[in-house]
Structures are given as structure tokens and as C-alpha cells.
Amino acid sequence: MTGFRSGTIALVGRPNAGKSTLMNRYLGEKLAIVSDKPQTTRHRLVGIRTSARGQMVFYDTPGVHKPLHQLNRRMVQYAVDALNDADVVCLLADATQKFAGGDAHMLALLEHTNVRRFVALNKVDIVSKPKLLPLIERYAGSDLFDEIVPISALDGGGCDTLLDFLFEALPEGEPLYDPELFTLHSEKFLAAELIREKVLHETRDELPYTTAVVIEMWEEDERKNLTKIHASLLVEKSGQKAILIGRQGATIKKLGTAARHDLEALLGRRVYLDLNVRCEPRWRESNRLLSDLDRGLFPDLLSGSYGAKSSMRS
């Protein structure tokens, strides 16, 4: 394929910079869950955009922050590893926030990369130009970046320009993955993430970081075009369990209904969803539980039967 480009692009930055929103826009898929809470993304998510001119493999990474738990330490390591693995790095910065210590730390991390680097100043749809100019000058003064592109991942402003810069920075080569795939993650992992998104939305600030989702059972009934999913919501304290369940089960019923709707759109079939809440004290410090959650990312890579195809788009 003469002129065909293919490679990996790490989307990195501080928490809540808009990395997941941008990747979802580029994929035309809702792959990464999105909320207004920092640290929503917990793993390196892989999204694949294939067109006639090339294949772009995006790494959506957790926001880089000061880790307080074993879970957070793993999250930050996922982001750092993505920096080292990618062909191109795109730093997303929240243009509504002043440049601070966390931003300086991101620049220090990028100094150690030997690939082409870009900055996307996100959320410029709600920032005045006079406030944006000092930020542009600050990043330009670092001499680290090929281009600095103001964008709005939410409404799409500047995103096509950024996409072209990122694409042209990729090496020429064959596709890395099956062009029909839009991710390498399993349906089970995507389902767990969709359920967790509903937990974040329904509980708001009550349970921001202390909940995880484990798929306990997954059964396919081809005759009924039905998938049966039994999932556990992990919390650390009994009081958190009560919040998730809600008065007379109202909260867990509401988030279960919302999750089932999205799961049916994702899977293209009817879904029976059963949720229960399980108290696992200090699960964020448990290497065993965290490793079990990590294994859900790419469970079938060795067999070659991995990934979700574009035909699953909602």
C-alpha cells in the first residue's frame, strides 16, 4: 500500500483534559466512558480508526496525577507506558485551567520521549482568546512540540486539523490490526465499563473513585438473541453499598436500566442484566483484585479472537 500510514498515537494529559471525548470523536464510537469526574479512565484503552489512507491506533490513557492507592499507581504507569510505546504523542491540556505544577510534570515526562509530539489545547469553545494566548506561548516556549492546536473535543472545533497533523506524523506501513476492528478490548470489558459509567452518573460525587465492576457470568442464548450478564459492583465500605443500592433498591435499579439500554446498543441484541453490590474492603490496594480486573482488558489475545468490530456501532 504505497503511501498508506499506520501507527499508534498516545493521548496523554492530566485528569479531565478530554482525552476520552476526543478519542470517541475520532472513532465515531463510544468506546471510552465519559464523566465529569477526574480519573474516569483507569486503563490504556485502544481505539482503531481505519480509512482508505491509513490506520490510526489511539491510546486513551488515565490522567497523570499523584497516586494515593495501588490502583492509582497502576493508572499512572499505564499512561507512562503509553508514552514510551507510541509512534506519536498528543498532549491534551485543559485550556480553561491555568498552567500549574501538574502541567510542568507532563512536560518533564515528554522530554524523555523521542517521537513527534503535539499539544491539543482543549475546551477552547469556552475560553476567550486573550486567555488562550499565554497558554499557547507557554507550551511553545518548551520547544517540545511540532504543533500546538486549539480544539474543542466536545463540539469538534479544530479536531480535523489536529487529526491531519497526527496522521501525517505516522510512519508508512501496513495496518497493525484487522481494519474491521474499532478496538482490541473484549465485549465483557466494554460491558463492565458501560456499567461503571452509569454508576458514576447516578451516584455523582458520592462514590467517585471507590467502585469497580466485575463481570461474574456471561451467557449467550442464540435462540432468543439474548445475552445474560451477571455483574458485581465492588465498594470498600458498607455505607457505600447502601448508597449504590438506594432506598428500596431505587438507585441500582435506575443505573441497571440505563446500563442495559447502552449494552443492547453496543451488542446489537437483547440483554438481561443482573447487578449486585459486593463489599471488598481496600480493593484498590489488592494486587489480586486489580490483576483480575486487568485481565479483562484483552482476555483472548493469545487465541486471536479479540476485539470488537465496527458492525457493533450503535
Side-chain angles (χ1 to χ4, degrees), residues 6-66:
S6 180
T8 54
I9 302 162
L11 303 177
V12 300
R14 297 181 64 192
N16 218 26
K19 300 178 292 294
S20 297
T21 300
L22 182 64
M23 185 177 75
N24 286 345
R25 173 170 291 279
Y26 284 155
L27 297 181
E29 304 279 356
K30 185 180 178 181
L31 172 58
I33 67 172
V34 177
S35 85
D36 56 3
K37 296 181 177 65
Q39 303 175 31
T40 296
T41 300
R42 289 179 174 171
H43 302 86
R44 183 203 301 193
L45 302 182
V46 181
I48 304 168
R49 176 189 171 112
T50 305
S51 65
R53 65 176 185 167
Q55 185 176 86
M56 307 174 77
V57 180
F58 292 97
Y59 296 153
D60 177 24
T61 63
V64 176
H65 60 284
K66 184 178 181 179

Side-chain angles (χ1 to χ4, degrees), residues 203 206-211 234-246 277 279-280 283-284:
T203 58
E206 296 166 298
L207 296 172
Y209 314 115
T210 56
T211 307
L234 303 187
V235 295
E236 294 186 324
K237 301 177 181 178
S238 58
Q240 296 166 347
K241 181 175 181 177
I243 291 172
L244 265 184
I245 294 173
V277 185
C279 191
E280 290 278 357
W283 70 263
R284 288 178 293 172

Side-chain angles (χ1 to χ4, degrees), residues 43-275:
H43 302 86
R44 183 203 301 193
L45 302 182
V46 181
I48 304 168
R49 176 189 171 112
T50 305
S51 65
R53 65 176 185 167
Q55 185 176 86
M56 307 174 77
V57 180
F58 292 97
Y59 296 153
D60 177 24
T61 63
V64 176
H65 60 284
K66 184 178 181 179
L68 300 177
H69 300 275
Q70 182 64 22
L71 169 64
N72 302 88
R73 286 189 284 273
R74 289 190 180 213
M75 289 164 59
V76 172
Q77 191 61 51
Y78 289 141
V80 173
D81 289 346
L83 279 175
N84 297 325
D85 294 344
D87 297 308
V88 177
V89 171
C90 180
L91 171 65
L92 266 79
D94 185 344
T96 67
Q97 303 296 316
K98 291 183 179 180
F99 190 94
D103 301 295
H105 179 61
M106 288 304 310
L107 295 185
L109 288 176
L110 266 64
E111 285 180 357
H112 301 290
T113 60
N114 296 314
V115 297
R116 295 183 67 180
R117 297 165 294 214
F118 299 83
V119 177
L121 299 181
N122 191 25
K123 308 182 186 180
V124 297
D125 52 312
I126 54 175
V127 178
S128 64
K129 288 185 179 180
K131 291 184 178 180
L132 188 61
L133 290 176
L135 198 57
I136 292 175
E137 292 173 356
R138 180 65 181 80
Y139 282 103
S142 71
D143 292 324
L144 288 173
F145 303 102
D146 290 62
E147 299 286 348
I148 300 170
V149 186
I151 70 165
S152 171
L154 190 61
D155 68 22
C159 291
D160 288 344
T161 298
L162 176 63
L163 187 70
D164 287 339
F165 281 134
L166 296 175
F167 178 78
E168 292 300 328
L170 294 176
E172 290 192 7
E174 298 293 316
L176 299 176
Y177 301 105
D178 181 345
E180 292 189 3
L181 293 176
F182 77 93
T183 187
L184 303 182
H185 304 298
S186 70
E187 290 182 340
K188 291 181 181 179
F189 172 78
L190 298 178
E193 285 289 274
L194 283 177
I195 296 168
R196 186 165 66 87
E197 180 183 53
K198 302 311 173 191
V199 172
L200 292 172
H201 286 178
E202 294 300 332
T203 58
R204 304 306 302 166
D205 296 328
E206 296 166 298
L207 296 172
Y209 314 115
T210 56
T211 307
V213 178
V214 177
I215 303 297
E216 306 284 9
M217 188 176 71
W218 183 289
E219 292 183 346
E220 302 284 358
D221 189 330
E222 299 296 340
R223 184 176 60 85
K224 295 182 179 180
N225 191 34
L226 176 69
T227 298
K228 298 179 180 179
I229 303 172
H230 296 263
S232 292
L233 311 181
L234 303 187
V235 295
E236 294 186 324
K237 301 177 181 178
S238 58
Q240 296 166 347
K241 181 175 181 177
I243 291 172
L244 265 184
I245 294 173
R247 181 171 296 181
Q248 297 182 332
T251 301
I252 197 167
K253 181 179 180 181
K254 184 178 180 180
L255 70 87
T257 299
R260 180 174 54 80
H261 180 270
D262 278 10
L263 288 168
E264 289 181 337
L266 170 72
L267 301 174
R269 50 188 179 271
R270 293 190 302 121
V271 170
Y272 169 82
L273 178 61
D274 177 66
L275 299 178

Side-chain angles (χ1 to χ4, degrees), residues 257-309:
T257 299
R260 180 174 54 80
H261 180 270
D262 278 10
L263 288 168
E264 289 181 337
L266 170 72
L267 301 174
R269 50 188 179 271
R270 293 190 302 121
V271 170
Y272 169 82
L273 178 61
D274 177 66
L275 299 178
N276 71 86
V277 185
R278 194 170 89 213
C279 191
E280 290 278 357
R282 293 176 57 80
W283 70 263
R284 288 178 293 172
E285 298 289 359
S286 170
N287 283 315
R288 177 186 61 81
L289 277 173
L290 292 174
S291 295
D292 286 344
L293 292 171
D294 286 350
R295 277 193 287 271
L297 278 167
F298 309 105
D300 303 317
L301 282 177
L302 294 179
S303 70
S305 59
Y306 57 84
K309 294 189 175 182

